[in-house]
Amino acid sequence: MYENKYLSIYHDIVSKIRQGHWKPYDKLPSENELAEQYETSRETIRKALNLLSEHGYIQKMKGKGSIVLDVGKYDFPVSGLVSFKELAQKMKTPAKTIVHELEVIKPGEYLKKHLHVTNKDEIWKVVRSRKIDGEHIILDKDFFHKKFVPVLTRAICEDSIYEYIENKLKLKISFAKKEMFVDKVTDEDRKYLDLNGYDHVVVVKNFVYLDDASLFQFTESRHRLDKFRFVDFARRNH
Amino acid sequence: MYENKYLSIYHDIVSKIRQGHWKPYDKLPSENELAEQYETSRETIRKALNLLSEHGYIQKMKGKGSIVLDVGKYDFPVSGLVSFKELAQKMKTPAKTIVHELEVIKPGEYLKKHLHVTNKDEIWKVVRSRKIDGEHIILDKDFFHKKFVPVLTRAICEDSIYEYIENKLKLKISFAKKEMFVDKVTDEDRKYLDLNGYDHVVVVKNFVYLDDASLFQFTESRHRLDKFRFVDFARRNH
DNA sequence: GAGTGGTCTAGACCACGGC
DNA sequence: CCGTGGTCTAGACCACTCT
């Protein structure tokens, strides 16, 4: 297992915090002490501590030191790019994915605008619903460039497309833009979701970019109002 | 004007990108070249470039170089901590804040749980609505520790409390946690908002922490369904 | 004044991409 | 192969906090 020094230090400190080696509001050893303990330079320690800070594990204070934060409170990925599978595991509720549509289409006007493709390009369209506690609560509509994802099967869609893309296809997802708003339910929502009488859904649009800044996926995720929840952890830097 | 070297380099490159000195998908000079140009070390250049990357201005690619991203697309603060005033300025629609309640209260059970205060503490309670295009669309309920914010006036609340806190009181806001979900409308919503027939609102709960990791503000922001919109920009790092 | 984190330097080696 | 960005080092000076 190859890992950078600063990453291994980061992971070591994370696990020590999680195991209660340091408790919330405890002071961490100083950067100089940590540099000695881990037999490395201070800058490397600082890289590890900055990661801890960005991920909400510690708070650094100039002239004072670094304190451990209440980790349970912030135990979620830093705003977004969570796949449904991770989410389902976190929630510990049995969840199931049903694939309704899986086909290659030509982009219409709407997709051409969002995916920056031409008429000649072929696009994967995947429509899936997510069943949690016996109810179909989320409707996911994914669109991928076929040139990025040449093969896609029902089995892959039932598992996790993200996992397939990152681990099998080795495409590197770099950043994503999310938009959230509320929309009236559509016929498609009525067809695939258990709406429970609600006439609106929360829509999360997700634009996913690869390492070279090319937009390769556009996803629209439609959530039943009462089951939607989003958590965001933002650190003020400048 | 005192500024760090890496910050001034960051701001210089930002302004050059904004002025079109480099266009989207242009390659930036290499880190070594920039180090020469700015007469500094490579590590300092790297700090500036990492900032640019985090803020969505550039994309770094190992072995290749850094390219400029389409800045218009990502021109918003990186997920959150936006005050209403900034938002109103960005939207360029006339907006007005109406202060409905401004008082010092003793914390009830709910607040004690969220603000981590005791019965003896005094809490500012501020209830305001936001009027945009002639309609009351957002209801904001803010709660502050009185020990952090000893004085609060109607005029301040009508302007921007954040601005007052950061610029006048010099309190440093460090990080915030947001939760978003949909809730049934309450009597309070009906009283202060133009609900336009909607029977649900989008609730954004905001927990704001200071530099020393103490929670000092709790805000509940209730948005009319059709007017709610949230944008988030997330970069994948590890 | 002693100790802390924040910045900065001038070097080094590495992994990756393209030629 | 060379140039790129990624990691790492051993020092230095600074601003800040506490005593």
Side-chain angles (χ1 to χ4, degrees):
Chain A
M1 199 62 216
Y2 292 47
E3 202 177 35
N4 297 328
K5 197 177 269 192
Y6 81 90
L7 275 179
S8 72
I9 293 171
Y10 163 74
H11 286 131
D12 189 55
I13 297 180
V14 164
S15 71
K16 278 183 177 151
I17 290 175
R18 293 201 169 281
Q19 287 164 20
H21 190 283
W22 294 298
K23 301 210 166 36
Y25 299 92
D26 275 2
K27 265 239 281 287
L28 238 49
S30 76
E31 296 181 348
N32 283 313
E33 284 176 288
L34 288 170
E36 265 192 41
Q37 286 176 26
Y38 286 98
E39 292 179 312
T40 185
S41 68
R42 209 184 124 213
E43 283 290 354
T44 301
I45 292 293
R46 284 180 54 71
K47 264 184 144 174
L49 292 191
N50 283 334
L51 256 191
L52 286 162
S53 168
E54 282 164 27
H55 291 191
Y57 286 103
I58 65 169
Q59 176 77 15
K60 309 182 85 179
M61 287 170 295
K62 199 194 292 199
K64 295 215 277 190
S66 300
I67 60 167
V68 174
L69 295 179
D70 194 343
V71 87
K73 260 194 236 157
Y74 318 119
D75 184 18
F76 42 80
V78 179
S79 71
L81 282 184
V82 194
S83 76
F84 176 72
K85 200 177 176 185
E86 295 172 65
L87 209 66
Q89 284 169 352
K90 275 227 158 60
M91 298 198 305
K92 284 170 188 159
T93 37
K96 207 177 167 232
T97 299
I98 297 97
V99 181
H100 298 287
E101 299 174 33
L102 170 59
E103 56 183 335
V104 175
I105 61 168
K106 295 285 175 187
E109 284 311 310
Y110 183 75
L111 275 180
K112 267 196 285 190
K113 190 179 152 219
H114 281 92
L115 270 180
H116 306 297
V117 291
T118 64
N119 284 317
K120 296 201 306 293
D121 288 308
E122 292 184 309
I123 304 292
W124 278 110
K125 179 186 182 188
V126 187
V127 177
R128 297 176 291 178
S129 64
R130 318 296 200 165
K131 191 174 180 180
I132 302 173
D133 288 335
E135 287 184 301
H136 293 85
I137 281 168
I138 305 172
L139 181 66
D140 273 359
K141 297 162 68 175
D142 295 82
F143 302 92
F144 307 85
H145 255 141
K146 192 156 188 296
K147 70 170 173 185
F148 291 124
V149 189
V151 180
L152 205 52
T153 67
R154 274 195 113 75
I156 292 168
C157 294
E158 276 166 4
D159 195 29
S160 166
I161 296 186
Y162 264 102
E163 201 167 58
Y164 173 66
I165 285 167
E166 292 217 294
N167 296 341
K168 294 294 187 306
L169 296 180
K170 304 286 183 202
L171 290 176
K172 280 189 203 149
I173 290 166
S174 169
F175 56 100
K177 185 185 144 184
K178 272 194 177 57
E179 285 181 37
M180 274 174 253
F181 56 93
V182 177
D183 195 13
K184 286 213 179 81
V185 299
T186 62
D187 291 340
E188 206 175 23
D189 296 328
R190 288 203 184 82
K191 189 169 163 191
Y192 293 127
L193 292 181
D194 297 319
L195 283 167
N196 206 10
Y198 293 101
D199 52 1
H200 286 79
V201 288
V202 178
V203 181
V204 180
K205 287 190 178 182
N206 213 3
F207 303 86
V208 181
Y209 296 79
L210 295 180
D211 230 17
D212 61 354
S214 62
L215 176 64
F216 103 104
Q217 183 196 359
F218 164 67
T219 296
E220 185 176 326
S221 201
R222 305 175 70 87
H223 302 244
R224 202 172 84 188
L225 279 192
D226 58 326
K227 295 294 185 181
F228 174 75
R229 183 161 215 98
F230 181 79
V231 181
D232 177 76
F233 179 77
R235 182 161 289 268
R236 185 96 134 191
N237 287 312
H238 55 277
Chain B
M1 198 64 216
Y2 293 51
E3 201 176 35
N4 297 329
K5 197 176 270 192
Y6 81 91
L7 275 180
S8 72
I9 294 171
Y10 163 74
H11 286 130
D12 189 57
I13 297 180
V14 165
S15 70
K16 278 182 177 153
I17 290 175
R18 293 199 169 280
Q19 286 164 20
H21 190 281
W22 294 297
K23 301 210 167 37
Y25 298 94
D26 275 3
K27 263 239 283 284
L28 237 50
S30 76
E31 297 181 349
N32 282 312
E33 283 177 287
L34 288 170
E36 265 192 41
Q37 286 175 27
Y38 286 98
E39 292 179 314
T40 184
S41 69
R42 212 186 121 211
E43 283 289 354
T44 300
I45 292 293
R46 284 178 55 70
K47 262 185 145 173
L49 293 190
N50 283 334
L51 256 192
L52 286 162
S53 169
E54 282 165 27
H55 291 191
Y57 285 104
I58 65 169
Q59 176 76 17
K60 310 181 85 181
M61 287 170 294
K62 198 193 293 197
K64 298 215 287 192
S66 300
I67 59 168
V68 174
L69 294 180
D70 193 343
V71 87
K73 258 192 240 160
Y74 318 118
D75 184 17
F76 42 80
V78 180
S79 71
L81 284 183
V82 194
S83 75
F84 177 73
K85 199 177 176 187
E86 294 172 65
L87 209 67
Q89 283 169 352
K90 274 227 159 61
M91 299 198 305
K92 284 169 187 158
T93 37
K96 206 176 167 236
T97 299
I98 298 96
V99 181
H100 298 286
E101 300 175 32
L102 171 59
E103 55 181 336
V104 175
I105 60 168
K106 295 283 174 189
E109 284 310 309
Y110 184 75
L111 276 180
K112 268 195 285 190
K113 190 180 152 214
H114 282 94
L115 270 179
H116 306 295
V117 292
T118 63
N119 284 318
K120 296 202 306 294
D121 288 307
E122 291 183 310
I123 304 292
W124 279 109
K125 179 187 182 187
V126 186
V127 178
R128 297 176 292 176
S129 65
R130 317 295 198 165
K131 191 175 180 179
I132 303 173
D133 288 334
E135 288 184 300
H136 292 84
I137 281 168
I138 305 173
L139 181 67
D140 273 359
K141 299 163 67 175
D142 294 81
F143 302 92
F144 307 85
H145 256 142
K146 191 156 187 297
K147 70 170 173 185
F148 291 124
V149 189
V151 179
L152 206 51
T153 67
R154 275 194 113 74
I156 292 169
C157 292
E158 275 165 6
D159 195 30
S160 166
I161 297 185
Y162 263 103
E163 203 168 56
Y164 172 68
I165 285 167
E166 291 218 293
N167 298 340
K168 295 292 187 307
L169 296 180
K170 304 286 184 202
L171 289 177
K172 280 189 203 150
I173 290 166
S174 169
F175 55 99
K177 184 185 146 184
K178 273 193 175 61
E179 284 181 37
M180 275 174 251
F181 57 93
V182 178
D183 196 13
K184 286 214 179 81
V185 299
T186 63
D187 292 340
E188 207 174 24
D189 297 328
R190 288 203 184 82
K191 187 170 166 192
Y192 295 126
L193 293 180
D194 298 319
L195 283 169
N196 204 13
Y198 292 101
D199 52 2
H200 287 79
V201 288
V202 178
V203 181
V204 180
K205 288 192 177 180
N206 213 3
F207 303 86
V208 180
Y209 296 79
L210 294 180
D211 231 18
D212 62 351
S214 62
L215 177 64
F216 103 104
Q217 184 197 358
F218 165 66
T219 295
E220 185 175 325
S221 201
R222 304 174 71 87
H223 302 244
R224 202 172 83 187
L225 278 194
D226 58 328
K227 296 293 185 181
F228 173 75
R229 183 160 216 96
F230 181 78
V231 181
D232 176 77
F233 180 77
R235 185 160 287 270
R236 183 94 134 195
N237 288 312
H238 55 278

